[in-house]
Amino acid sequence: MAVITGEKEYFKGIAQIKYEGPETDNALAYRWYDAGKKIGGKTMKEHLRFAVAYWHSFCGNGADPFGEPTHLYPWNEKADAVGRAKDKMDAAFEFIGKLDLPYYCFHDVDVVDYSNDVVDNEKRLQALVNYASEKQAASGVQLLWCTANLFSNRRYMNGAATNPDFHVLTHAAAQVKAALDATIALGGQNYVFWGGREGYMSLLNTNMRREQEHLARFLHTAKDYARRQGFKGAFFIEPKPCEPTKHQYDYDAATVISFLRQYDLMEDFKLNLEVNHATLAGHTFTHELQVAVDAGMLGSMDANRGDYQNGWDTDQFPNNINELVETMLIVLEGGGFRGGGINFDAKRRRNSTDMADLFHAHIGGIDCFARALLVADKILQHGEYAKIRKERYASFDSGKGAAFEKGGLSLEDLREYAIAGGEPRVTSGRQEYLENLINRFI
Ligand code: XLS
Ligand code: NI
Ligand code: NI
């Protein structure tokens, strides 16, 4: 990847981040992420497919419900929206190049500020798509996915595709059309729907069934348009149970899969799973991953972490090696991502105000995933982990157990077997043994 700057260099004093190995003292280097290193026939870069999230890194300003912005960006100075957006894009491509990452992701409103005029917004986005095309060509950075922000504007306060007012739905459609056009023009590999306000605040004023039918119709309509324009990539739904809406329809992986099945969308759609959304849904992230893998639906991942002491989407950078090893075990055993990669949907803290903090945050997350990939691969190579799980189900591999799996036994047959076999023995699940086995490789 090439580092390209615009008129100005925004991250002065920081050169391209390189792999220096675990022993280095340089904080602005990779200790574990060695992009070209091969693991099981694929490079680290190909396994992990890292992406920088435009919104957190170049738009999020550190403001919280109690306080004003603390991240004061030098690319926000120009008066006209398109000029300002180009400066921001210069900074973005400089940053992604300096991290030497292959992908980025954005919402329409991240790359350029929107007004309330549909046609004007299309023009603004188009100007930035042209600019991004040049930047992509010069740097080699590619678009992992694009999405439309259908939750910030006040018109979406009661939902976008699920809004009770058809007129609002049409504005959402206009935005999605423009974002799909942008995705196609930029060779974007996937397109994401995150329904932050697709849900309800109170059932007292909500026709849930009708709203979900509208959502399905909306997704079909968008998908049909994109396919007609030649888009070959995957569509992803990003589940989240709540926040900002009290109850979101795309609650978790299992809920979304059953929705996609019910409305005949399984062919074109996969899941984009986010760590902190799993936490909010009361699941481990590995639970969500396994549900998706088992349905052949693991499209992509939004990497971050929540906070165990509070209950909102804090979007911190990942730093827990144990959790990431368990994550990478499922990703590797599941055959990797279907179209997507690992997008850092994560932000530095409000009080991390140095430009270098943005680098440290990403380097930490990247290295943690890279290390987890190496560890997970070693665990799988070693073999005992998979063997123990396989042996646990050995009673279904032959004889009556195998006949049951094939549907060959009636309830009466099972009763006979219970009597013939006597009382089952007490069998350990060996959980602590397995936890120690994982730790042995870290
Ligand atoms: C919010 C979501 C959002 C999506 C993209 O919680 O994670 O950032 O990833 O709209
Ligand atoms: Ni996300
Ligand atoms: Ni999120």
Side-chain angles (χ1 to χ4, degrees):
M1 245 33 37
V3 177
I4 52 164
T5 54
E7 293 158 21
K8 264 200 223 165
E9 186 178 6
Y10 287 102
F11 303 96
K12 279 214 183 69
I14 298 179
Q16 193 170 51
I17 309 299
K18 300 223 164 71
Y19 172 73
E20 292 184 9
E23 302 308 323
T24 185
D25 267 335
N26 181 3
L28 290 168
Y30 294 126
R31 289 174 164 66
W32 302 94
Y33 182 60
D34 183 3
K37 185 186 169 77
K38 284 225 165 163
I39 293 141
K42 276 205 279 185
T43 62
M44 272 195 167
K45 182 175 161 186
E46 290 162 343
H47 274 287
L48 298 165
R49 297 167 60 82
F50 286 127
V52 171
Y54 219 91
W55 52 103
H56 284 310
S57 291
F58 315 113
C59 310
N61 57 19
D64 69 15
F66 300 91
E68 61 180 357
T70 55
H71 302 159
L72 309 170
Y73 296 126
W75 50 82
N76 273 342
E77 281 158 13
K78 288 192 179 141
D80 82 294
V82 169
R84 209 162 51 237
K86 287 184 175 171
D87 284 354
K88 179 159 65 175
M89 192 165 274
D90 286 345
F93 275 83
E94 181 191 327
F95 179 74
I96 302 163
K98 284 186 169 172
L99 281 179
D100 196 17
L101 295 188
Y103 297 108
Y104 70 119
C105 301
F106 66 80
H107 302 81
D108 47 1
V109 304
D110 301 336
V111 292
V112 60
D113 294 341
Y114 266 23
S115 67
N116 278 335
D117 181 323
V118 173
V119 176
D120 183 42
N121 290 340
E122 287 169 352
K123 284 196 192 126
R124 290 179 183 205
L125 187 58
Q126 189 53 51
L128 269 294
V129 164
N130 294 340
Y131 199 58
S133 288
E134 293 166 22
K135 294 262 166 192
Q136 288 186 191
S139 64
V141 173
Q142 290 176 281
L143 178 62
L144 187 67
W145 54 257
C146 172
T147 186
N149 177 325
L150 306 180
F151 45 89
S152 294
N153 190 290
R154 71 172 68 85
R155 77 174 78 90
Y156 298 125
M157 69 180 182
N158 294 310
T162 62
N163 199 293
D165 179 357
F166 171 65
H167 190 189
V168 175
L169 181 148
T170 63
H171 276 262
Q175 250 185 278
V176 168
K177 180 187 173 293
L180 284 168
D181 290 341
T183 307
I184 294 166
L186 292 171
Q189 303 196 358
N190 310 279
Y191 186 86
V192 165
F193 290 91
W194 171 61
R197 299 206 192 261
E198 311 294 22
Y200 63 82
M201 302 302 284
S202 167
L203 274 180
L204 294 175
N205 63 12
T206 301
N207 184 333
M208 183 152 75
R209 177 170 170 175
R210 213 164 169 193
E211 290 197 1
Q212 290 198 278
E213 284 168 0
H214 292 168
L215 178 57
R217 174 68 59 215
F218 187 90
L219 295 175
H220 270 286
T221 308
K223 180 260 293 172
D224 290 345
Y225 170 77
R227 293 294 184 230
R228 278 202 304 278
Q229 306 306 307
F231 179 61
K232 299 266 186 305
F235 297 92
F236 298 147
I237 305 267
E238 185 177 323
K240 187 174 180 180
C242 56
E243 197 213 12
T245 302
K246 174 188 159 58
H247 179 90
Q248 203 179 303
Y249 294 137
D250 298 332
Y251 196 95
D252 61 2
T255 310
V256 172
I257 289 168
S258 96
F259 172 87
L260 293 173
R261 241 186 224 126
Q262 180 177 354
Y263 292 103
D264 195 23
L265 289 160
M266 292 288 279
E267 274 288 299
D268 298 272
F269 284 77
K270 305 252 170 311
L271 302 182
N272 177 35
L273 296 176
E274 179 163 323
V275 183
N276 202 172
H277 298 182
T279 313
L280 294 178
H283 300 307
T284 58
F285 187 51
T286 47
H287 169 91
E288 290 292 87
L289 285 169
Q290 195 65 58
V291 168
V293 164
D294 290 346
M297 296 288 275
L298 178 59
S300 203
M301 178 194 298
D302 271 8
N304 58 24
R305 81 190 142 96
D307 182 302
Y308 295 120
Q309 281 77 47
N310 66 23
W312 69 90
D313 202 7
T314 57
D315 289 340
Q316 288 158 258
F317 274 82
N319 72 352
N320 185 320
I321 185 72
N322 281 68
E323 288 182 2
L324 292 186
V325 168
E326 292 188 19
T327 293
M328 290 314 298
L329 279 171
I330 295 176
V331 172
L332 284 179
E333 284 197 300
F337 302 111
R338 295 182 202 264
I342 299 175
N343 168 48
F344 285 104
D345 194 352
K347 59 186 182 214
R348 60 201 163 116
R349 298 300 86 193
R350 168 173 168 78
N351 43 350
S352 298
T353 50
D354 293 343
M355 284 291 212
D357 290 324
L358 196 55
F359 282 87
H360 293 304
H362 280 85
I363 290 169
I366 289 163
D367 261 346
C368 229
F369 265 101
R371 188 173 169 197
L373 169 65
L374 290 166
V375 172
D377 177 62
K378 279 199 191 117
I379 292 169
L380 294 176
Q381 296 301 325
H382 176 262
E384 194 185 353
Y385 162 68
K387 189 165 156 258
I388 289 177
R389 201 170 34 182
K390 181 160 188 343
E391 281 171 2
R392 198 157 178 241
Y393 296 88
S395 61
F396 290 94
D397 289 341
S398 61
K400 298 279 187 207
F404 166 78
E405 274 197 352
K406 292 203 188 75
L409 298 184
S410 68
L411 199 59
E412 297 92 313
D413 295 335
L414 295 173
R415 174 181 174 275
E416 290 304 324
Y417 189 77
I419 294 167
E423 183 56 27
R425 68 194 165 87
V426 173
T427 310
S428 173
R430 305 182 73 188
Q431 183 174 330
E432 296 80 0
Y433 181 93
L434 281 162
E435 285 165 354
N436 293 354
L437 179 73
I438 304 285
N439 277 342
R440 230 197 284 160
F441 289 87
I442 289 178

